[in-house]
Amino acid sequence: KKRKADGGGRPEGSNKRAKGKKQWGMPRKEAAEGRGIHPGDVGIWATCAMKKEAKSVADLRDLFSEYASKLYGVDPANAAAENGGTDDEADIEAEISKELEDIRKPDKNPLFVSRKLDTQCLLFFRTRQPLDPVSFVRSICQDAADGVEQKRCRFVKRLTPITAIDKATERGLDEVAQQVLAPHFHGPDRAGKKFAIRTNIRNNKEFTRDQVIKSVAAAVGPGHTVDLSGYDLLILVEIYKNICGMSVVSPDFDRLKRFNLAEL
């Protein structure tokens, strides 16, 4: 009764925690930034079989390491080693360990790193120079078309290179278009190109396909014509939640099964 009358016996304003109790802080900024996709990122989208996301991330990391060494002479020491297993639970544990390792060592700057997404069958790898996503993906798919079997990628389907990413707003889409399209369509030596536009919109209700095509076509500018089957250049537009990305690929995109490794 005396303690109750005195206000509980603890001095007013005291914020001391009980002895032996752990104080939990807010997540580190580096950890938060290590997840998801952000404006300014460059990379490669990938689709895979359902519930095979962790396995596909590990397989693609090995495949990308092999081609990074082959094409750029880069030592893929930062990539995860192949474990040879097929157990999804083990793959998930390995992927979690890799993410924790990336968070604990923020000074690491690997050539590519997977981003955590909450959408099934969808993966994203952020890349950095000297890796060019378009030529990198094309080399992998051309080898697959030539009969080089990618044994590790049993569950991987389509790869989509992305040259630039910004927020999924009208302004963001326009800025990405100006950045990506200028080297291919703008300038006196770039006139008379035949082009086509293909869009992919996921988990976003702000944009429609027709709206995106109209905006991108306007950014291409005058002096060029639309040709859906006999194009010189194909513009790929990927919109996912609150980000949008774009790239320009060559006419062999359809010959290479739209960069679908499973079909190749």
Side-chain angles (χ1 to χ4, degrees), residues 26-59:
M26 295 296 291
R28 293 178 57 186
K29 180 180 179 182
E30 294 86 355
E33 292 180 347
R35 294 176 176 270
I37 309 168
H38 308 283
D41 282 350
V42 175
I44 301 169
W45 286 105
T47 57
C48 66
M50 185 173 291
K51 297 183 180 180
K52 298 297 182 181
E53 292 84 1
K55 175 63 175 172
S56 296
V57 165
D59 288 348

Side-chain angles (χ1 to χ4, degrees), residues 14-257:
S14 175
N15 195 30
K16 292 184 178 180
R17 64 183 182 275
K19 186 176 180 180
K21 295 239 179 166
K22 187 172 182 180
Q23 184 177 16
W24 294 95
M26 295 296 291
R28 293 178 57 186
K29 180 180 179 182
E30 294 86 355
E33 292 180 347
R35 294 176 176 270
I37 309 168
H38 308 283
D41 282 350
V42 175
I44 301 169
W45 286 105
T47 57
C48 66
M50 185 173 291
K51 297 183 180 180
K52 298 297 182 181
E53 292 84 1
K55 175 63 175 172
S56 296
V57 165
D59 288 348
L60 281 173
R61 186 178 287 118
D62 288 341
L63 178 67
F64 290 171
S65 297
E66 176 186 334
Y67 274 83
S69 178
K70 173 182 176 182
L71 298 176
Y72 304 106
V74 177
D75 182 11
N78 289 326
E82 181 181 7
N83 57 27
T86 58
D87 181 44
D88 284 345
E89 184 176 352
D91 293 331
I92 293 172
E93 290 178 357
E95 182 61 23
I96 292 173
S97 298
K98 180 65 174 60
E99 288 183 7
L100 290 175
E101 182 182 351
D102 290 339
I103 291 171
R104 290 178 186 135
K105 298 181 180 179
D107 57 333
K108 284 180 62 177
N109 191 21
L111 197 60
F112 46 83
V113 59
S114 64
R115 291 299 200 185
K116 185 69 174 179
L117 305 179
D118 58 2
T119 302
Q120 288 186 331
C121 307
L122 188 64
L123 316 171
F124 182 80
F125 278 82
R126 187 196 66 184
T127 65
R128 65 166 178 83
Q129 293 181 340
L131 192 153
D132 172 60
V134 174
S135 60
F136 189 73
V137 168
R138 187 191 178 282
S139 295
I140 293 174
C141 293
Q142 183 62 62
D143 281 355
D146 292 340
V148 178
E149 186 178 359
Q150 309 295 354
K151 297 180 180 180
R152 289 185 294 268
C153 296
R154 291 186 301 157
F155 306 112
V156 176
K157 297 182 180 179
R158 178 169 291 129
L159 303 178
T160 304
I162 295 296
T163 303
I165 289 175
D166 208 326
K167 293 181 180 179
T169 62
E170 291 185 8
R171 179 178 177 180
L173 179 62
D174 183 65
E175 290 185 355
V176 163
Q178 294 298 330
Q179 177 182 345
V180 174
L181 301 181
H184 301 279
F185 294 97
H186 301 169
D189 57 339
R190 299 286 189 268
K193 298 290 185 181
K194 295 183 290 184
F195 72 95
I197 302 170
R198 293 185 185 173
T199 64
N200 199 348
I201 302 175
R202 296 184 179 94
N203 300 352
N204 181 292
K205 297 182 179 180
E206 301 298 321
F207 283 96
T208 64
R209 178 177 176 274
D210 291 342
Q211 177 186 0
V212 172
I213 291 176
K214 182 178 179 181
S215 178
V216 175
V220 169
H224 308 288
T225 57
V226 175
D227 191 328
L228 301 182
S229 58
Y231 56 82
D232 299 315
L233 296 169
L234 177 64
I235 303 169
L236 302 178
V237 184
E238 293 280 335
I239 295 179
Y240 172 72
K241 291 188 176 181
N242 62 343
I243 61 100
C244 63
M246 192 178 303
S247 63
V248 177
V249 298
S250 60
D252 58 5
F253 177 75
D254 286 305
R255 178 181 64 82
L256 294 176
K257 307 296 182 182

